[in-house]
């Protein structure tokens, strides 16, 4: 990334500056000719410059070697994969439950549609019978 590129460029610039200071110290030149070479290589703590590698290092990785860091990263990736697998199985189960609920709703809708049709046909028959009863009642009152 751009940030990482800038950080690395700063590290290179710092190394070049230290190299120049070390050469000047070796020749007893520069602003501080008595500055020892060991103080130049100590990380610049006496000059107010901090090591950017140490600032970004977390407690979990402090003191670990390259192989240990790689193993830790693999372990973290394996844990993330296990979490993603668990999440995937949960989502699959929810999908299956949703499909089962949808199927049940379809069946219930069919039952409701059948019931509606039966009620409508019963209502039609009841109206016809009511009409027949009214006709019989009308005929019986007219005859007698």
């Amino acid at each position: 990334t751009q940030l990482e590129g800038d950080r690395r460029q700063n590290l290179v610039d710092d190394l070049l500056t230290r190299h120049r200071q070390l050469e000047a110290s070796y020749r007893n030149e520069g602003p501080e000719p008595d500055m020892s070479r060991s103080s130049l290589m100590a990380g610049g703590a006496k000059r107010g410059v901090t090591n950017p590698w140490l600032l970004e290092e977390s407690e979990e990785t402090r003191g670990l070697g390259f192989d240990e860091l790689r193993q830790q990263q693999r372990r973290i990736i394996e844990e993330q994969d296990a979490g993603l697998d668990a999440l995937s199985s949960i989502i699959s189960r929810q999908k299956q439950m949703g499909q089962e609920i949808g199927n049940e709703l379809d069946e219930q809708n069919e039952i409701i549609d059948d019931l509606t049709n039966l009620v409508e046909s019963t209502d039609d028959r009841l109206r016809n019978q009511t009409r027949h009863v009214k006709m019989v009642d009308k005929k019986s009152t007219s005859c007698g």
Side-chain angles (χ1 to χ4, degrees), residues 3 57 132:
L3 184 61
E57 188 170 10
H132 286 247

Side-chain angles (χ1 to χ4, degrees), residues 34-46:
D34 59 341
M35 180 185 287
S36 70
R37 285 174 271 181
S38 62
S39 69
L40 285 173
M41 301 308 287
K46 295 178 183 174

Side-chain angles (χ1 to χ4, degrees), residues 124-136:
D124 288 341
R125 287 193 339 237
L126 184 62
R127 287 177 198 258
N128 285 337
Q129 292 302 322
T130 304
R131 201 174 316 121
H132 286 247
V133 168
K134 283 183 183 179
M135 249 194 277
V136 169

